[in-house]
Amino acid sequence: ADHMTYWMEEERIRAEGNVYAVMSSGSTMRGPVADYYRAVVPIRTEAILVSTGRPKLKVVQLDSLTGKPSDTVDVVADRITSVADSLVYAGGDVRITRPQLFATGDSAFMDQGSGIARLMKKPTVEARRSRPFTLTGGVIDVFSRNKLVHRAVATPQGHATSQDLQLYADSVDLRVRNNELERAMAWGKTRAHATSPDRDIVADSIDALLPNQRIHQIRSVGKAYATSIPDTATVTTTERDWMRGDTLIATFDSVSHTDSTHTPPIKTIYARSNARAYYHVKNDKFKDRPGVNYVTGKDIDINFLNGGIDTVKVREKASGVYVEA
């Protein structure tokens, strides 16, 4: 630093002006001002580094097998405190950057030993890959394993956004592999909402499977209700098709659909227990005057073909009505 002051009784060093610090792990810190409190018994058992004036901390992560430096995590904030070269507390416009991942918040906490980080006060976590996703909420907890993020949980007011899907709920839990979203779960007292470009689902809880970050299946449990846009190639209407049941299971054709810029088309949707379905049927003479079919039963299975309804199967206590234009 440009200037240093040492207080022997406090075992404290104050550094001012172009401060540069190197920790035993290899992590470094740069900033205008820093206070270093030495680990000297009985004064304190752990070393503490406190820096203000918007310092920059570069955390070096060591590979658990080789012990060599692997990825780094860059932390920028108005104030940063490092305890025992392991715990990091940051406050004031916090920005955390790691390979393919960017996080922000008013305050943050990181534990390098357990791999747990917490972001608070309007936090966001953003994955920056070919198919990015974003997570926001009141508080976000991020969990890492082998120096890679594998889980992020936002609560309350969780909101996850990807190219194929948006999830809203009191709690949103994302599972990540190789920095790519592979599963998203949502639940809470205010109910969970899933939204895609042509479909909306509401239920007590929602579980979405996204292998290779492509939506494959959505399971909705607890008074599930789904609405969708009818097949625009054969039907013109301002109404939406809908389906209800205690459980809804929607499957999408993510394997054969190679166009990565669009959401995979739906293949099937199943309603279980107290099922009801309302959907439009094309009119061969008038596209803008479709027929309407309403069916009820214990279970309902709907299969889709080329974006439109192909077959509908109703089991147990089946009833319904078909209305022509």
Side-chain angles (χ1 to χ4, degrees):
D2 293 341
H3 181 265
M4 289 187 184
T5 305
Y6 174 43
W7 287 268
M8 295 181 63
E9 291 185 358
E10 298 180 35
E11 290 296 345
R12 168 193 170 200
I13 297 174
R14 183 171 182 83
E16 300 172 288
N18 299 310
V19 179
Y20 177 60
V22 181
M23 275 71 90
S24 58
S25 64
S27 299
T28 61
M29 190 281 298
R30 294 182 182 272
V33 180
D35 288 287
Y36 179 66
Y37 301 86
R38 296 181 62 211
V40 178
V41 179
I43 300 176
R44 65 186 65 88
T45 59
E46 296 176 325
I48 302 173
L49 177 65
V50 180
S51 183
T52 57
R54 199 143 188 87
K56 298 179 180 179
L57 176 67
K58 184 179 289 292
V59 180
V60 175
Q61 297 185 311
L62 302 179
D63 189 282
S64 58
L65 297 177
T66 64
K68 297 180 179 180
S70 55
D71 293 334
T72 60
V73 179
D74 295 321
V75 182
V76 180
D78 294 344
R79 175 187 176 94
I80 296 177
T81 300
S82 175
V83 179
D85 198 11
S86 177
L87 306 178
V88 176
Y89 302 86
D93 190 18
V94 181
R95 297 177 181 272
I96 301 174
T97 305
R98 58 187 304 161
Q100 305 294 336
L101 205 67
F102 179 67
T104 64
D106 182 74
S107 57
F109 162 74
M110 297 170 53
D111 183 347
Q112 297 183 68
S114 64
I116 297 175
R118 168 165 284 192
L119 299 161
M120 294 164 283
K121 295 185 179 181
K122 298 182 179 180
T124 65
V125 173
E126 178 183 350
R128 295 176 170 178
R129 295 184 68 87
S130 57
R131 295 177 65 82
F133 66 86
T134 303
L135 179 65
T136 63
V139 174
I140 298 179
D141 291 320
V142 181
F143 303 86
S144 301
R145 183 185 298 125
N146 297 327
K147 312 308 177 185
L148 289 176
V149 173
H150 70 91
R151 184 185 182 195
V153 181
T155 185
Q157 299 176 342
H159 178 201
T161 303
S162 70
Q163 186 168 316
D164 290 345
L165 185 70
Q166 289 197 59
L167 273 179
Y168 304 84
D170 289 332
S171 299
V172 174
D173 186 342
L174 303 185
R175 303 302 171 95
V176 181
R177 178 179 295 178
N178 297 325
N179 291 324
E180 289 189 346
L181 180 63
E182 68 170 9
R183 189 176 185 182
M185 292 167 280
W187 67 92
K189 293 182 179 180
T190 60
R191 308 255 285 167
H193 300 249
T195 301
S196 64
D198 61 353
R199 199 168 306 277
D200 296 309
I201 301 175
V202 181
D204 290 346
S205 63
I206 295 175
D207 185 358
L209 303 179
L210 301 99
N212 300 317
Q213 211 155 308
R214 300 284 293 164
I215 187 168
H216 172 66
Q217 188 181 84
I218 298 178
R219 292 175 174 265
S220 310
V221 178
K223 298 180 181 179
Y225 175 60
T227 67
S228 62
I229 299 174
D231 181 16
T232 56
T234 60
V235 171
T236 300
T237 179
T238 58
E239 287 190 311
R240 293 171 70 97
D241 295 342
W242 58 262
M243 198 170 187
R244 292 181 183 271
D246 182 71
T247 300
L248 294 181
I249 304 172
T251 304
F252 299 80
D253 190 5
S254 57
V255 177
S256 62
H257 192 66
T258 58
D259 186 357
S260 61
T261 62
H262 293 85
T263 302
I266 190 168
K267 289 173 56 179
T268 61
I269 183 167
Y270 302 149
R272 296 291 179 263
S273 184
N274 193 27
R276 288 173 284 169
Y278 175 93
Y279 56 93
H280 295 79
V281 181
K282 74 174 182 177
N283 185 328
D284 292 331
K285 294 183 179 180
F286 303 101
K287 183 178 179 181
D288 61 344
R289 299 180 186 177
V292 174
N293 210 5
Y294 173 70
V295 294
T296 66
K298 182 177 182 295
D299 300 329
I300 298 176
D301 296 352
I302 298 181
N303 297 293
F304 294 81
L305 182 64
N306 299 325
I309 292 176
D310 183 33
T311 61
V312 178
K313 296 181 180 179
V314 184
R315 288 189 295 274
E316 295 188 33
K317 300 180 181 180
S319 65
V321 59
Y322 171 70
V323 181
E324 290 185 336

